[in-house]
Amino acid sequence: MKDKLAQSLADTFNRRSFLNKASWGLGTLALGSLLPSQLFSNPNEKIVTVPNRAPKAKRVVYLFQSGGPSQLEMFDYKPYLEKMHGKDLPESVRKGQRLTSMSAQQSALPLVKSPYKFTQHGKSGAWASELMPYTGKVADDLCFIKSMYTEQINHDPALTFFQTGNQLAGRPSIGAWVSYGLGSANENLPAFIVMVSKDAPRDQPLYARLWGNGFLPSKHQGVQFRSGSDPVLYLNNPNGYSSADRRSMLDALKDLNQVQEEIYGDPEVSNHIAQYEMAFRMQTSVPEVNDLSDEPDWVFDLYGEEARNPGTYAANCLMARRLLERDVKFVQLYHQGWDLHGNLPKGITRQCKATDQASAALVQDLKQRGLLDDTLVVWGGEFGRTNYSQGKLTADNYGRDHHPRCFTMWMAGGGVKRGITYGETDEFGYNIAKNPVHVHDFQATLLHLLGVDHEKLTYEFQGRRFRLTDVEGKLVKGILA
């Protein structure tokens, strides 16, 4: 067996083959110095290599609030619920819509008012509760969408649907699609970076597949940054191993991988080579971006004191700004703890305290640095919460169940209108009354703002062309600037 492999390698590297390949290689290098590097990508891999139109957004930061934030406590003000508090949800409003197994067996569905005071903010008059004072201050820079909806009523399929365009696991994540379609503007950092708050309650699990590449080439998967001295696993050299040693090892490994690619024609080999090289370059770029010593005190005051504590939501928001400054294409933050089936007043107060200031600070910081106009900021979860109490309603406590039929997200910068509220819910906050926005519509609009037609960003897999929005999705033109 070893003799056959040795003979195969010898055939690959005989004198005639070497001279032939070397001559082609020199010509390719000369041509490569004159043409964009993207032109040398695998033609079967990348369908879209440049935007279909001039992009409004060059980069995206997606602040994903995992667990389903309650829109009724934060943004969707419903004074009618104050009058109806404690009364049963009318069947004429529910209209036989599906309930989760957690509240379907309740003998009554008592409506719950929000105990928090709502006020209007800025010239736009956007409503926000006292839980979100910092978000209220930047309301004129935000576009609130109060008519989001999804068909998925449980966490895993709903979260997977938002992140991949399908409720079943296995499809590429939204960040991977962006990386695949648009590539990277910084050769020393990945195009898609993910951070998970260390300080959030672990009520619902997060899976690496939510930022995975699915059937796309592996180099498009999200790279998770963690808190601590080693933000990327296995990036640092082992003790006693120098950068020169690593460079020598990578050069030898690259030669072996190229031989394997020529023999077997496996396209993933070139992706592995690219990932090794990226990891080598990140040994310099990651410590630099992770070093916050050059940030002045006023920046930490803006994001909040927790921004000094690596891995917290506030610190991740600050890190996101630093990555966006360096033209990372897609930055995604996950913050868990919003799944409040019970004890909602205490839980949502904790959640808003942890996220409100830093979310608003990121918008302010990008704006004052001239980055907001071409950076799209997205805030939202996988669904909303019901207008009725799950379990017993008491004078000072209640919970809310999952509600996919209407919930609130907000966006800022990157080509969306500022200071507007799009869509409405009925007076009960249970159904959409105006301008519904489906998950696929949101995904299509996000790609549009990046200059990509969602119907043209496709990848052929197992005989079918797939896309993020599957066979659906339409632009939400009413929010476009």
Side-chain angles (χ1 to χ4, degrees):
M1 185 67 180
K2 290 183 178 179
D3 291 339
K4 289 183 179 180
L5 178 58
Q7 184 61 46
S8 176
L9 292 173
D11 292 341
T12 301
F13 284 108
N14 61 40
R15 182 170 178 270
R16 184 187 303 275
S17 175
F18 171 79
L19 292 174
N20 182 51
K21 294 179 186 299
S23 64
W24 277 103
L26 292 173
T28 302
L29 287 173
L31 181 62
S33 67
L34 301 175
L35 296 176
S37 61
Q38 283 181 323
L39 294 181
F40 294 97
S41 59
N42 186 341
N44 295 321
E45 174 196 326
K46 187 164 286 189
I47 306 301
V48 177
T49 56
V50 294
N52 305 119
R53 64 183 65 80
K56 296 289 187 180
K58 295 180 180 179
R59 59 197 81 81
V60 177
V61 55
Y62 193 164
L63 311 176
F64 197 90
Q65 312 301 315
S66 177
S70 177
Q71 72 282 8
L72 296 170
E73 268 66 36
M74 292 185 287
F75 303 120
D76 202 6
Y77 179 45
K78 294 299 168 188
Y80 190 67
L81 289 180
E82 296 177 8
K83 300 178 182 179
M84 298 293 291
H85 182 76
K87 298 181 180 179
D88 198 34
L89 173 67
E91 181 55 40
S92 60
V93 175
R94 180 188 164 193
K95 300 177 181 178
Q97 293 176 28
R98 177 187 176 192
L99 305 179
T100 74
S101 59
M102 293 170 284
S103 59
Q105 305 305 316
Q106 291 184 199
S107 58
L109 302 173
L111 296 169
V112 186
K113 68 179 181 180
S114 171
Y116 304 102
K117 181 181 178 181
F118 276 77
T119 53
Q120 291 179 283
H121 296 268
K123 295 180 180 179
S124 62
W127 289 99
S129 81
E130 59 187 309
L131 291 173
M132 308 295 283
Y134 292 95
T135 301
K137 291 178 181 178
V138 298
D140 285 347
D141 289 312
L142 308 183
C143 169
F144 292 95
I145 303 175
K146 294 188 176 179
S147 52
M148 289 296 308
Y149 75 99
T150 179
E151 293 85 9
Q152 315 309 323
I153 200 169
N154 290 312
H155 292 286
D156 186 71
L159 212 165
T160 303
F161 191 50
F162 246 108
Q163 298 305 296
T164 71
N166 194 283
Q167 65 172 322
L168 301 178
R171 299 285 182 91
S173 60
I174 188 169
W177 277 112
V178 171
S179 172
Y180 159 69
L182 296 175
S184 176
N186 185 331
E187 64 177 10
N188 296 320
L189 287 168
F192 179 21
I193 293 177
V194 175
M195 291 175 280
V196 179
S197 302
K198 72 175 185 180
D199 57 334
R202 299 293 190 263
D203 50 3
Q204 292 296 327
L206 292 174
Y207 308 97
R209 60 175 167 77
L210 294 171
W211 50 89
N213 58 294
F215 45 68
L216 293 178
S218 58
K219 65 183 179 181
H220 299 298
Q221 67 182 340
V223 175
Q224 185 177 353
F225 275 33
R226 295 166 169 83
S227 60
S229 58
D230 293 325
V232 180
L233 295 179
Y234 312 115
L235 188 63
N236 291 336
N237 294 325
N239 292 333
Y241 199 77
S242 69
S243 293
D245 294 331
R246 191 179 186 114
R247 180 68 270 170
S248 178
M249 180 272 290
L250 288 176
D251 289 341
L253 187 60
K254 181 178 180 180
D255 291 340
L256 290 172
N257 282 331
Q258 286 177 334
V259 171
Q260 183 179 7
E261 183 178 21
E262 291 178 4
I263 295 175
Y264 298 106
D266 183 358
E268 266 299 288
V269 173
S270 62
N271 290 314
H272 293 161
I273 294 173
Q275 287 172 308
Y276 289 141
E277 293 298 328
M278 171 62 78
F280 183 75
R281 295 193 297 272
M282 285 168 62
Q283 286 189 316
T284 300
S285 61
V286 169
E288 184 271 333
V289 75
N290 201 48
D291 181 7
L292 303 183
S293 62
D294 59 344
E295 295 288 349
D297 288 341
W298 68 262
V299 169
F300 292 104
D301 292 339
L302 180 66
Y303 284 86
E305 189 60 29
E306 280 299 297
R308 297 182 185 274
N309 183 1
T312 62
Y313 181 80
N316 287 347
C317 283
L318 175 53
M319 184 63 67
R321 189 267 288 162
R322 293 174 65 86
L323 293 169
L324 295 167
E325 281 183 307
R326 290 158 177 79
D327 283 323
V328 172
K329 187 68 67 176
F330 201 99
V331 181
Q332 181 133 25
L333 273 60
Y334 287 91
H335 188 81
Q336 298 161 279
W338 295 97
D339 189 27
L340 301 171
H341 292 274
N343 205 17
L344 187 144
K346 180 179 178 181
I348 201 165
T349 299
R350 176 199 65 226
Q351 290 295 99
C352 292
K353 183 178 180 180
T355 61
D356 174 45
Q357 181 175 355
S359 299
L362 180 57
V363 174
Q364 290 177 278
D365 204 3
L366 291 171
K367 184 178 180 179
Q368 66 192 5
R369 294 171 191 271
L371 291 170
L372 186 59
D373 286 343
D374 57 8
T375 301
L376 180 64
V377 186
V378 180
W379 184 101
E382 65 267 38
F383 43 55
R385 314 302 294 196
T386 57
N387 60 358
Y388 59 81
S389 177
Q390 179 184 333
K392 186 176 181 181
L393 172 62
T394 68
D396 58 0
N397 203 5
Y398 61 95
R400 295 192 191 272
D401 203 354
H402 309 164
H403 191 61
R405 294 307 304 165
C406 58
F407 56 101
T408 299
M409 294 179 63
W410 60 254
M411 304 169 75
V416 299
K417 290 180 180 178
R418 298 182 180 187
I420 71 164
T421 294
Y422 185 85
E424 296 177 12
T425 58
D426 62 19
E427 60 184 356
F428 286 87
Y430 198 84
N431 295 300
I432 294 173
K434 184 179 180 181
N435 294 331
V437 179
H438 187 259
V439 174
H440 283 314
D441 301 336
F442 157 74
Q443 293 163 340
T445 304
L446 184 148
L447 291 178
H448 173 85
L449 292 168
L450 287 166
V452 175
D453 184 337
H454 72 105
E455 294 184 350
K456 295 181 180 179
L457 182 60
T458 62
Y459 188 88
E460 187 170 339
F461 177 67
Q462 295 184 340
R464 177 192 163 187
R465 286 193 179 275
F466 288 86
R467 68 184 204 224
L468 173 63
T469 53
D470 200 29
V471 296
E472 300 177 280
K474 60 182 183 297
L475 291 182
V476 187
K477 295 181 179 179
I479 71 170
L480 301 179

